[in-house]
């Protein structure tokens, strides 16, 4: 890929909404894509000199059900199966255009489709996909380990190829990533059996104690260095409950002690400077629980930092955000 083509790709962003909320116990995240748009996401990105194409919100109204047998402990399996198939197909198509996809959620089950799409896209181009999971929860349950049976808590496990949801994509390609390429960052609520499974898979996890001890700059640079060492691409899956509830109250799964406003911005700024980010999820925003749009505005501001917004001019790599093929 030429430098000119890399530059062109780096300046194009595609927005895709996934108004899904049956993966969680608290309904309302289906309003998340609209809230992010209302908070000015596209306008902000355009002010940073990106060409933004908004593909609107997906619908699964006309998608047929498959005939596989749903797992016993996977709430709303059939509906989420439809969403996962549609998201995987559409995300893959958008990635093929060369734009940087931003998936607007919706609960975290959307990552089952978005990450599968991006992993498939980059595998075909000989590149590995790493995933940075910014989340208060590990989401590494399976139907065998889950306590709640809520499928938004199974999304990270699914994308790493764990068994239990093997029929979710039907006959569509499943492009799992190796557990070694998943980095959980900011976790502070993990179930017992989930923790045992993660230990067996040797999942990398940065919890809030490590962040308190070492700071986000040191820890996020370790993630970036691993991605660069593999000449890989990074997908950022940003759950707004990664933030402390005092910063982001508009979420149904709040856990005290999350990332501060400045810690989150620093993470995004360092990711921008790295030039390794190729796609993004924004999930679990629940406007029904928000305070006059505060969480939506904060999420948009953080995406601004991820894509180069800064207070003072600083030199950054010329390939920031979009890696070449």
């Amino acid at each position: 890929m030429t430098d000119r083509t890399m530059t062109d790709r780096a300046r194009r962003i595609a927005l895709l909404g996934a108004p899904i909320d049956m993966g969680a116990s608290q309904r309302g995240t289906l309003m998340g894509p609209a809230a992010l748009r209302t908070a000015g996401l596209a306008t902000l990105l355009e002010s940073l000199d990106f060409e933004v194409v908004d593909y609107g919100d997906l619908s699964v109204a006309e998608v047929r059900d498959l005939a596989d047998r749903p797992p016993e402990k996977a709430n709303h399996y059939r509906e989420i199966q439809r969403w996962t198939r549609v998201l995987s197909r559409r995300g893959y198509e958008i990635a093929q255009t060369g734009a940087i996809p931003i998936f607007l959620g919706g609960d975290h089950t959307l990552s089952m489709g978005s990450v599968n799409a991006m992993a498939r896209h980059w595998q075909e181009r000989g590149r590995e996909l790493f995933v940075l999971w910014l989340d208060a929860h590990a989401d590494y349950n399976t139907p065998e380990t889950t306590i709640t049976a809520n499928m938004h808590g199974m999304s990270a496990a699914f994308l790493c190829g764990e068994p239990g949801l093997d029929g979710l994509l039907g006959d569509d390609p499943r492009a799992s990533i190796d557990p070694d390429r998943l980095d959980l960052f900011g976790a502070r609520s993990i179930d017992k059996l989930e923790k045992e499974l993660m230990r067996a898979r040797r999942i990398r996890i940065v919890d809030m104690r490590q962040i308190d001890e070492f700071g986000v700059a040191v820890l996020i640079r370790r993630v970036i260095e691993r991605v660069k060492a593999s000449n890989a691409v990074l997908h950022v899956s940003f759950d707004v409950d990664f933030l402390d509830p005092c910063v982001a109250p508009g979420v149904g799964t709040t856990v005290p002690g999350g990332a501060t406003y400045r810690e989150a911005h620093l993470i995004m700024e360092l990711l921008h400077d790295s030039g390794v980010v190729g796609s993004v999820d924004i999930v679990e925003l629940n406007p029904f629980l928000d305070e006059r749009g505060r969480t939506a505005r904060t999420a948009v501001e953080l995406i601004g930092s991820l894509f180069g917004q800064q207070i003072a001019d600083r030199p950054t790599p010329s390939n920031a955000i979009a890696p070449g093929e």
Side-chain angles (χ1 to χ4, degrees):
M1 176 178 281
T2 66
D3 291 342
R4 175 62 181 275
T5 306
M6 289 174 63
T7 301
D8 290 346
R9 182 184 187 278
R11 307 319 300 177
R12 290 189 288 128
I13 291 175
L15 305 180
L16 182 65
I20 175 175
D21 71 353
M22 69 283 300
S25 57
Q26 179 72 55
R27 307 303 285 266
T29 57
L30 64 85
M31 299 182 288
L36 291 166
R37 292 185 176 100
T38 302
L41 178 59
T43 301
L44 175 58
L45 293 170
E46 287 169 347
S47 75
L48 298 172
D49 296 326
F50 287 93
E51 176 189 342
V52 179
V53 177
D54 191 338
Y55 287 89
D57 290 347
L58 287 172
S59 172
V60 296
E62 303 299 323
V63 179
R64 65 177 179 84
D65 284 342
L66 300 182
D68 61 314
R69 182 177 179 179
E72 291 185 8
K73 295 174 68 178
N75 294 338
H76 304 288
Y77 172 85
R78 197 61 76 195
E79 295 93 334
I80 292 168
Q81 183 179 55
R82 293 198 296 266
W83 277 106
T84 302
R85 292 160 61 207
V86 169
L87 265 164
S88 180
R89 293 170 186 172
R90 192 70 178 112
Y92 174 78
E93 290 171 357
I94 290 173
Q96 299 287 93
T97 71
I100 302 164
I102 301 181
F103 300 91
L104 312 179
D107 67 59
H108 220 152
T109 55
L110 80 82
S111 296
M112 295 178 176
S114 64
V115 174
N116 190 75
M118 299 311 300
R120 179 185 170 196
H121 170 76
W122 289 111
Q123 284 176 12
E124 289 179 357
R125 282 151 182 77
R127 304 282 295 278
E128 293 183 339
L129 184 74
F130 281 63
V131 177
L132 175 63
W133 205 259
L134 299 173
D135 200 325
H137 308 85
D139 295 341
Y140 210 87
N141 273 301
T142 70
E144 290 296 320
T145 67
T146 182
I147 297 172
T148 66
N150 291 329
M151 288 183 65
H152 71 161
M154 306 180 195
S155 42
F158 174 80
L159 66 90
C160 287
E162 295 292 345
L165 297 173
D166 304 291
L168 201 60
L169 285 163
D171 294 329
D172 291 1
R174 183 175 180 182
S176 301
I177 69 168
D178 191 285
D180 185 57
R181 290 188 266 133
L182 172 67
D183 282 273
L184 306 178
F185 204 96
R188 50 196 188 276
S189 177
I190 303 175
D191 299 332
K192 182 178 183 296
L193 293 179
E194 180 183 31
K195 185 183 296 185
E196 292 176 1
L197 178 58
M198 290 165 55
R199 185 181 298 116
R201 299 294 187 263
R202 304 180 71 176
I203 301 292
R204 285 183 170 83
I205 178 167
V206 170
D207 60 18
M208 292 310 296
R209 170 169 177 166
Q210 289 171 280
I211 289 175
D212 290 340
E213 282 194 81
F214 302 106
V216 296
V218 170
L219 298 169
I220 205 68
R221 283 189 175 113
R222 290 178 183 172
V223 176
I224 291 168
E225 288 167 1
R226 290 180 54 242
V227 177
K228 286 187 172 182
S230 297
N231 187 32
V233 184
L234 183 66
H235 177 93
V236 177
S237 197
F238 169 43
D239 186 323
V240 294
D241 74 15
F242 166 71
L243 302 166
D244 191 84
C246 70
V247 177
V251 62
T253 50
T254 56
V255 183
T260 68
Y261 183 81
R262 270 312 314 158
E263 286 174 332
H265 271 288
L266 180 56
I267 289 169
M268 297 302 189
E269 290 162 2
L270 292 172
L271 287 171
H272 168 262
D273 293 351
S274 73
V276 299
V277 178
S279 49
V280 183
D281 299 327
I282 311 171
V283 302
E284 299 291 352
L285 171 62
N286 190 330
F288 185 75
L289 303 174
D290 205 1
E291 298 173 358
R292 304 180 68 178
R294 183 154 65 99
T295 306
R297 290 195 302 272
T298 298
V300 168
E301 291 167 1
L302 288 168
I303 296 302
S305 289
L306 179 60
F307 284 88
Q309 187 176 44
Q310 48 186 281
I311 296 171
D313 290 336
R314 295 184 304 276
T316 57
S318 60
N319 68 331
I321 295 298
E325 295 183 15

